[in-house]
Amino acid sequence: MNLTGNDWKKVTEIIQAYEGKIDKDFKIPLSEYEERYKRVWEQLEKRDIDMGFFFWYREMPGDGIYLTGYNPTIERASGVIAPGKRPLLLAGPESGVMAREAGLGLKTEFVNEFSIPDEYYEGVERGNLNEIILDYIGHNVRRIGYMTAADLIPAQFMDFLREGFDGAEVVDAADILEELRYEKSESEMKCMEQADTIACAAVRAMLAVAKPGLRESEIAAVGDFTVKTLGGNGFGFDTIVNSAERCRTVIGPAGSRVINRGEIVQIGCSPSFEGYKGVCRRAFVMGERSELQKQYFDCMNEAYRRAEEMIYKVCEGGLATNLIDLAARDYFATQEIDGQNMKQFHMYSTCHGTGLTECLEKMVITPTGEEPYGENVGLMLDLGCYGHPNPEIAGGCVEDAYLKKGDRAYKCSDVPVDVQELVGKGM
């Protein structure tokens, strides 16, 4: 290991500087979950649905955490909710016992379908999925609504819904949770803001220890350590540290590659706090920037500045959200570096929604989508510039989270857009 005692001193100072900004004991109050259930009941009754079914796993946790506060590890999980009834949690026995930690007091049943395949559990009884659900509903099921997107529910469970309830009609009700999760409460926003604060601390810590000769994984370990120390309880994506041509990937996890002087490096962290995700991603050069690299960063940073400026205008004026994407995209179209027009390297949309997942929420901003933002929502400005053929500038990014409250947007990050001056430095 090439990390020194002085490196860890810098990390400790950064953690201490951020620790007072985090309320590690904060939780979404039980009363808020009860309000969520009432809103789901209203939608189910409006659509004459007897039973709503939702499904989740660690990488796609949103629907399940929203209603149960629980996220499985390795195992998958599902739940059902009927009008007037708190959800029934269906889980495997290894991680299912963690549902008690959420403190919601939901009834939890262990079933084979969500256990680790072929595993034997001494003394653990696992019930029949169909019988457990019918006992919970208490009457014949006429209409079932799946409240998680169909492409996320395995075929065996879609078949179970269609065949296991005496010909009950199965309808798509995925928009119920998508819409309810989109508009955020003050408690949700606090969780997101705390996750973003932790992300900033983690990125600053990674920058503080960065030096030639370190492996990508060593720098990432510092970010992960910082996240857990500050109360993060998971990740929206594996901590990113990519260097040189590995920067061509957008969300590649840290590898074992040794980083050399003069190489471009991108880093990123997405901590989870009470299930809600934060983010901070940046790029820099290990050592002095070449003239080509200076051009690249000037271009990327200006595109970010223009998109950020447009976020505030769009939120204040209720304008079409595609203006945010176009602010960066149109600027890139005017720029050329090393004989290449930069618009082609603006790889993806400039902004996306966030919440219980890092980027898989409503709504992604596209060049043509004109739908305005909701009232109180989370978004992430994700400006990436990837795939230039010259390995000196293979790829990089600037990403920060924002909270929209009414007609105002607030940036959650305190990390500079250009972090070159922070490389190797602590607080």
Side-chain angles (χ1 to χ4, degrees):
M1 176 185 285
N2 291 312
L3 292 170
T4 66
N6 189 52
D7 291 328
W8 285 109
K9 181 181 178 182
K10 296 176 188 175
V11 173
T12 300
E13 290 172 350
I14 290 169
I15 289 173
Q16 290 173 341
Y18 279 86
E19 205 150 25
K21 303 176 182 180
I22 308 296
D23 179 0
K24 297 180 183 179
D25 296 321
F26 182 79
K27 291 184 177 294
I28 302 289
L30 177 60
S31 59
E32 186 161 318
Y33 285 98
E34 300 295 350
E35 286 300 315
R36 293 175 184 180
Y37 303 152
K38 291 177 183 178
R39 291 196 292 270
V40 172
W41 297 340
E42 289 172 2
Q43 289 297 318
L44 294 178
E45 289 172 342
K46 182 186 293 186
R47 304 175 193 211
D48 197 28
I49 292 175
D50 299 306
M51 180 186 94
F53 176 88
F54 54 99
F55 176 90
W56 75 107
Y57 51 96
R58 187 172 58 182
E59 281 68 35
M60 289 297 295
D63 294 337
I65 296 181
Y66 185 76
L67 292 179
T68 72
Y70 156 73
N71 198 25
T73 300
I74 300 179
E75 296 172 332
R76 301 168 297 174
S78 76
V80 292
I81 183 169
K85 295 189 176 187
R86 303 175 88 231
L88 169 66
L89 179 56
L90 304 163
E94 293 202 26
S95 65
V97 294
M98 295 191 301
R100 298 192 189 108
E101 291 183 354
L104 304 187
L106 297 177
K107 185 176 182 181
T108 302
E109 295 282 359
F110 299 148
V111 293
N112 282 322
E113 287 83 354
F114 296 107
S115 303
I116 295 173
D118 303 321
E119 185 59 85
Y120 172 79
Y121 298 101
E122 183 69 50
V124 176
E125 291 192 15
R126 290 172 284 179
N128 178 278
L129 185 59
N130 183 270
E131 292 176 1
I132 288 171
I133 292 176
L134 287 175
D135 183 62
Y136 162 79
I137 299 296
H139 56 78
N140 290 334
V141 178
R142 299 171 295 105
R143 202 160 194 247
I144 299 169
Y146 56 88
M147 299 194 301
T148 296
D151 61 338
L152 299 180
I153 302 175
Q156 75 175 97
F157 294 108
M158 292 297 284
D159 290 343
F160 167 73
L161 295 178
R162 294 187 176 108
E163 300 169 6
F165 297 92
D166 292 329
E169 182 185 7
V170 178
V171 298
D172 185 348
D175 62 304
I176 294 176
L177 290 180
E178 180 184 52
E179 292 300 325
L180 291 179
R181 285 171 48 200
Y182 178 54
E183 291 284 349
K184 302 297 192 295
S185 68
E186 283 297 318
S187 295
E188 290 178 294
M189 287 197 171
K190 181 171 180 177
C191 288
M192 293 161 63
E193 191 167 9
Q194 293 210 145
D196 293 318
T197 300
I198 295 170
C200 291
V203 164
R204 281 185 178 271
M206 288 192 283
L207 288 166
V209 303
K211 55 189 173 184
L214 281 182
R215 295 184 185 275
E216 294 174 357
S217 56
E218 290 178 295
I219 296 176
V222 171
D224 291 348
F225 173 83
T226 303
V227 167
K228 294 297 179 70
T229 303
L230 288 174
N233 54 10
F235 295 88
F237 52 70
D238 287 348
T239 298
I240 297 167
V241 182
N242 303 143
S243 57
E245 296 206 47
R246 289 203 73 229
C247 286
R248 296 192 192 285
T249 178
V250 177
I251 51 173
S256 60
R257 187 181 184 279
V258 175
I259 305 173
N260 300 305
R261 187 175 298 278
E263 292 178 341
I264 193 167
V265 182
Q266 66 168 345
I267 59 176
C269 195
S270 176
S272 179
F273 186 88
E274 286 299 296
Y276 290 84
K277 306 305 185 289
V279 78
C280 185
R281 292 202 301 146
R282 293 294 189 271
F284 61 94
V285 172
M286 192 67 83
E288 294 293 321
R289 290 176 178 172
S290 68
E291 287 303 313
L292 184 67
Q293 289 167 337
K294 288 177 183 177
Q295 292 179 49
Y296 173 82
F297 279 95
D298 286 347
C299 178
M300 186 166 63
N301 294 343
E302 176 62 16
Y304 178 93
R305 187 194 67 77
R306 293 182 180 215
E308 180 182 34
E309 186 177 77
M310 189 57 68
I311 282 180
Y312 299 123
K313 292 180 179 179
V314 163
C315 291
E316 289 174 8
L319 306 178
T321 50
N322 66 333
L323 294 173
I324 300 169
D325 184 83
L326 292 172
R329 197 171 299 277
D330 291 348
Y331 171 72
F332 278 129
T334 69
Q335 301 299 301
E336 184 176 292
I337 298 179
D338 202 24
Q340 300 284 331
N341 183 272
M342 296 303 289
K343 182 181 178 182
Q344 63 186 309
F345 306 122
H346 184 195
M347 186 174 181
Y348 46 78
S349 300
T350 311
C351 219
H352 57 75
T354 189
L356 287 164
T357 68
E358 192 272 336
C359 67
L360 301 171
E361 308 275 318
K362 186 184 177 180
M363 56 192 219
V364 175
I365 305 309
T366 67
T368 57
E370 297 186 355
E371 181 182 356
Y373 279 122
E375 186 71 8
N376 299 301
V377 300
L379 54 139
M380 291 178 177
L381 176 52
D382 185 358
L383 198 288
C385 193
Y386 292 93
H388 196 287
N390 193 313
E392 278 192 61
I393 51 174
C397 61
V398 184
E399 183 176 10
D400 288 313
Y402 295 75
L403 299 178
K404 179 183 181 293
K405 299 181 180 182
D407 61 357
R408 300 293 300 278
Y410 303 85
K411 187 175 184 176
C412 297
S413 175
D414 66 356
V415 176
V417 172
D418 194 320
V419 295
Q420 192 66 38
E421 295 301 315
L422 297 181
V423 178
K425 297 179 182 178
M427 292 302 294

